[in-house]
Amino acid sequence: MALTDLYKLPNTIERHRQEPLGCFIDGFQEWLKVNQFSLSTMICHISYVTDFSEYLVKQSISHPVNIRSEHIELFSRQYDRQNATSQKIRPALYAVNRFLSYLKTIGITIDDSCDKDKNADILNAYCDWAVQSCNLCSSTLSIWRGCLSRFFLSE
């Protein structure tokens, strides 16, 4: 499955392929497919990641290795303000977190060394408990972990 299977308009396809994240969109789409996301979810996630990519351009970020947790946080705040509803923020953050999970599978991770999570032991213990007690799948756990990490950073 290619991006052209989801989108037909050349301008839309071109927008999704713009840097800094556009060169990863096809791989991300395939990752979503392999992980059995629906077509509608794939379209939404790709759109949110494209919005995030456009935000990164404004922040002079030219490659995913330069993404920091504060970029994700500021994007989410800006996205929330622009869309005037807190309900729209969650899917955008889910999409960005899933995109970062995809990047990790291909060996690209964001550097949070300046944001050492002093609550890492608590977070890991909670996630272990959630897997055992709630029978969570890895994608759900990834979302929870991303949200909780940002929560701990905002203390």
Side-chain angles (χ1 to χ4, degrees), residues 2 16 31 42 54 56-57 77-78 105 108-109 123 125 129 133 145 147-148:
H16 290 304
W31 182 85
M42 290 177 7
E54 291 170 346
L56 292 173
V57 168
R77 288 182 190 161
Q78 179 180 326
T105 67
I108 299 173
T109 57
L123 177 61
W129 170 85
S133 301
R145 183 178 290 279
C147 292
L148 289 170

mmCIF file of all heavy atoms in Angstrom, residues 2 16 31 42 54 56-57 77-78 105 108-109 123 125 129 133 145 147-148:
data_model
loop_
_atom_site.group_PDB
_atom_site.id
_atom_site.type_symbol
_atom_site.label_atom_id
_atom_site.label_comp_id
_atom_site.label_asym_id
_atom_site.label_seq_id
_atom_site.Cartn_x
_atom_site.Cartn_y
_atom_site.Cartn_z
ATOM 1 N N ALA A 2 0.553 2.165 -0.842
ATOM 2 C CA ALA A 2 1.331 3.402 -0.968
ATOM 3 C C ALA A 2 0.455 4.593 -0.601
ATOM 4 O O ALA A 2 -0.767 4.490 -0.530
ATOM 5 C CB ALA A 2 1.849 3.547 -2.390
ATOM 6 N N HIS A 16 2.082 15.795 2.180
ATOM 7 C CA HIS A 16 2.453 14.741 3.136
ATOM 8 C C HIS A 16 3.914 14.315 2.993
ATOM 9 O O HIS A 16 4.494 13.787 3.928
ATOM 10 C CB HIS A 16 1.544 13.521 2.979
ATOM 11 C CG HIS A 16 0.142 13.767 3.434
ATOM 12 N ND1 HIS A 16 -0.177 14.210 4.701
ATOM 13 C CD2 HIS A 16 -1.031 13.626 2.783
ATOM 14 C CE1 HIS A 16 -1.484 14.327 4.810
ATOM 15 N NE2 HIS A 16 -2.029 13.984 3.659
ATOM 16 N N TRP A 31 3.900 0.634 8.497
ATOM 17 C CA TRP A 31 3.924 0.218 9.893
ATOM 18 C C TRP A 31 2.507 0.194 10.473
ATOM 19 O O TRP A 31 2.134 -0.741 11.182
ATOM 20 C CB TRP A 31 4.835 1.165 10.682
ATOM 21 C CG TRP A 31 5.000 0.848 12.138
ATOM 22 C CD1 TRP A 31 5.877 -0.027 12.705
ATOM 23 C CD2 TRP A 31 4.267 1.430 13.229
ATOM 24 N NE1 TRP A 31 5.735 -0.019 14.068
ATOM 25 C CE2 TRP A 31 4.758 0.865 14.417
ATOM 26 C CE3 TRP A 31 3.244 2.385 13.304
ATOM 27 C CZ2 TRP A 31 4.270 1.213 15.675
ATOM 28 C CZ3 TRP A 31 2.753 2.738 14.551
ATOM 29 C CH2 TRP A 31 3.259 2.151 15.717
ATOM 30 N N MET A 42 -5.345 5.410 9.639
ATOM 31 C CA MET A 42 -4.101 5.700 8.927
ATOM 32 C C MET A 42 -4.149 7.086 8.305
ATOM 33 O O MET A 42 -3.189 7.855 8.416
ATOM 34 C CB MET A 42 -3.841 4.627 7.858
ATOM 35 C CG MET A 42 -3.474 3.309 8.487
ATOM 36 S SD MET A 42 -3.181 1.843 7.457
ATOM 37 C CE MET A 42 -3.188 2.295 5.818
ATOM 38 N N GLU A 54 4.925 20.195 9.643
ATOM 39 C CA GLU A 54 4.858 21.619 9.299
ATOM 40 C C GLU A 54 5.205 22.487 10.507
ATOM 41 O O GLU A 54 5.861 23.525 10.368
ATOM 42 C CB GLU A 54 3.470 21.962 8.753
ATOM 43 C CG GLU A 54 3.224 21.337 7.387
ATOM 44 C CD GLU A 54 1.779 21.446 6.902
ATOM 45 O OE1 GLU A 54 0.882 21.776 7.720
ATOM 46 O OE2 GLU A 54 1.555 21.182 5.704
ATOM 47 N N LEU A 56 7.275 21.563 12.880
ATOM 48 C CA LEU A 56 8.725 21.417 13.056
ATOM 49 C C LEU A 56 9.504 22.325 12.115
ATOM 50 O O LEU A 56 10.543 22.874 12.493
ATOM 51 C CB LEU A 56 9.145 19.957 12.860
ATOM 52 C CG LEU A 56 8.658 18.972 13.926
ATOM 53 C CD1 LEU A 56 9.004 17.543 13.523
ATOM 54 C CD2 LEU A 56 9.201 19.313 15.295
ATOM 55 N N VAL A 57 9.007 22.501 10.888
ATOM 56 C CA VAL A 57 9.661 23.413 9.937
ATOM 57 C C VAL A 57 9.706 24.818 10.528
ATOM 58 O O VAL A 57 10.741 25.489 10.461
ATOM 59 C CB VAL A 57 8.929 23.411 8.573
ATOM 60 C CG1 VAL A 57 9.394 24.551 7.694
ATOM 61 C CG2 VAL A 57 9.125 22.083 7.869
ATOM 62 N N ARG A 77 -0.063 21.977 22.418
ATOM 63 C CA ARG A 77 -0.734 23.185 22.924
ATOM 64 C C ARG A 77 -1.219 24.067 21.773
ATOM 65 O O ARG A 77 -2.334 24.568 21.789
ATOM 66 C CB ARG A 77 0.197 23.979 23.823
ATOM 67 C CG ARG A 77 0.437 23.334 25.144
ATOM 68 C CD ARG A 77 1.326 24.193 26.001
ATOM 69 N NE ARG A 77 1.732 23.463 27.181
ATOM 70 C CZ ARG A 77 2.764 23.787 27.917
ATOM 71 N NH1 ARG A 77 3.495 24.844 27.620
ATOM 72 N NH2 ARG A 77 3.074 23.076 28.972
ATOM 73 N N GLN A 78 -0.350 24.259 20.791
ATOM 74 C CA GLN A 78 -0.719 25.077 19.634
ATOM 75 C C GLN A 78 -1.862 24.436 18.854
ATOM 76 O O GLN A 78 -2.803 25.103 18.457
ATOM 77 C CB GLN A 78 0.489 25.267 18.715
ATOM 78 C CG GLN A 78 0.187 26.075 17.475
ATOM 79 C CD GLN A 78 1.424 26.235 16.602
ATOM 80 O OE1 GLN A 78 2.534 26.335 17.102
ATOM 81 N NE2 GLN A 78 1.224 26.246 15.313
ATOM 82 N N THR A 105 11.428 1.960 15.737
ATOM 83 C CA THR A 105 11.610 0.637 15.114
ATOM 84 C C THR A 105 12.611 0.676 13.973
ATOM 85 O O THR A 105 13.181 -0.361 13.628
ATOM 86 C CB THR A 105 10.282 0.040 14.595
ATOM 87 O OG1 THR A 105 9.799 0.819 13.495
ATOM 88 C CG2 THR A 105 9.240 -0.056 15.679
ATOM 89 N N ILE A 108 15.574 5.375 14.845
ATOM 90 C CA ILE A 108 15.638 6.820 15.080
ATOM 91 C C ILE A 108 14.888 7.120 16.375
ATOM 92 O O ILE A 108 13.694 6.856 16.472
ATOM 93 C CB ILE A 108 15.013 7.614 13.919
ATOM 94 C CG1 ILE A 108 15.771 7.335 12.622
ATOM 95 C CG2 ILE A 108 15.005 9.110 14.234
ATOM 96 C CD1 ILE A 108 15.123 7.936 11.394
ATOM 97 N N THR A 109 15.604 7.649 17.339
ATOM 98 C CA THR A 109 14.957 8.003 18.600
ATOM 99 C C THR A 109 15.225 9.461 18.901
ATOM 100 O O THR A 109 16.249 10.012 18.518
ATOM 101 C CB THR A 109 15.479 7.141 19.776
ATOM 102 O OG1 THR A 109 16.895 7.286 19.860
ATOM 103 C CG2 THR A 109 15.130 5.684 19.592
ATOM 104 N N LEU A 123 6.995 5.006 36.631
ATOM 105 C CA LEU A 123 6.372 4.819 35.324
ATOM 106 C C LEU A 123 6.535 3.374 34.844
ATOM 107 O O LEU A 123 5.569 2.748 34.388
ATOM 108 C CB LEU A 123 6.966 5.785 34.303
ATOM 109 C CG LEU A 123 6.461 5.665 32.869
ATOM 110 C CD1 LEU A 123 4.961 5.916 32.793
ATOM 111 C CD2 LEU A 123 7.204 6.645 31.967
ATOM 112 N N ALA A 125 7.095 0.683 36.661
ATOM 113 C CA ALA A 125 6.315 -0.207 37.518
ATOM 114 C C ALA A 125 4.826 -0.138 37.156
ATOM 115 O O ALA A 125 4.145 -1.169 37.097
ATOM 116 C CB ALA A 125 6.529 0.154 38.991
ATOM 117 N N TRP A 129 2.541 -3.159 35.689
ATOM 118 C CA TRP A 129 1.264 -3.513 36.308
ATOM 119 C C TRP A 129 0.136 -3.472 35.281
ATOM 120 O O TRP A 129 -0.701 -4.374 35.239
ATOM 121 C CB TRP A 129 0.957 -2.551 37.466
ATOM 122 C CG TRP A 129 -0.438 -2.713 37.982
ATOM 123 C CD1 TRP A 129 -0.879 -3.612 38.904
ATOM 124 C CD2 TRP A 129 -1.594 -1.983 37.552
ATOM 125 N NE1 TRP A 129 -2.235 -3.481 39.082
ATOM 126 C CE2 TRP A 129 -2.706 -2.478 38.259
ATOM 127 C CE3 TRP A 129 -1.791 -0.943 36.640
ATOM 128 C CZ2 TRP A 129 -3.991 -1.987 38.093
ATOM 129 C CZ3 TRP A 129 -3.080 -0.451 36.467
ATOM 130 C CH2 TRP A 129 -4.154 -0.965 37.184
ATOM 131 N N SER A 133 -2.185 -6.567 34.651
ATOM 132 C CA SER A 133 -3.530 -6.475 35.216
ATOM 133 C C SER A 133 -4.601 -6.142 34.197
ATOM 134 O O SER A 133 -5.738 -6.591 34.319
ATOM 135 C CB SER A 133 -3.562 -5.423 36.327
ATOM 136 O OG SER A 133 -2.659 -5.758 37.337
ATOM 137 N N ARG A 145 2.318 5.370 28.048
ATOM 138 C CA ARG A 145 3.670 5.744 28.479
ATOM 139 C C ARG A 145 4.006 7.164 28.021
ATOM 140 O O ARG A 145 4.546 7.960 28.788
ATOM 141 C CB ARG A 145 4.701 4.749 27.953
ATOM 142 C CG ARG A 145 6.108 5.040 28.419
ATOM 143 C CD ARG A 145 7.089 3.989 27.912
ATOM 144 N NE ARG A 145 6.925 2.699 28.543
ATOM 145 C CZ ARG A 145 7.419 2.382 29.746
ATOM 146 N NH1 ARG A 145 8.097 3.273 30.423
ATOM 147 N NH2 ARG A 145 7.235 1.181 30.243
ATOM 148 N N CYS A 147 1.931 9.670 27.288
ATOM 149 C CA CYS A 147 1.125 10.644 28.038
ATOM 150 C C CYS A 147 1.628 10.796 29.469
ATOM 151 O O CYS A 147 1.752 11.909 29.983
ATOM 152 C CB CYS A 147 -0.347 10.228 28.033
ATOM 153 S SG CYS A 147 -1.125 10.335 26.414
ATOM 154 N N LEU A 148 1.921 9.667 30.117
ATOM 155 C CA LEU A 148 2.391 9.723 31.495
ATOM 156 C C LEU A 148 3.776 10.367 31.595
ATOM 157 O O LEU A 148 4.056 11.091 32.557
ATOM 158 C CB LEU A 148 2.407 8.322 32.110
ATOM 159 C CG LEU A 148 1.025 7.740 32.399
ATOM 160 C CD1 LEU A 148 1.128 6.271 32.774
ATOM 161 C CD2 LEU A 148 0.321 8.526 33.492
#
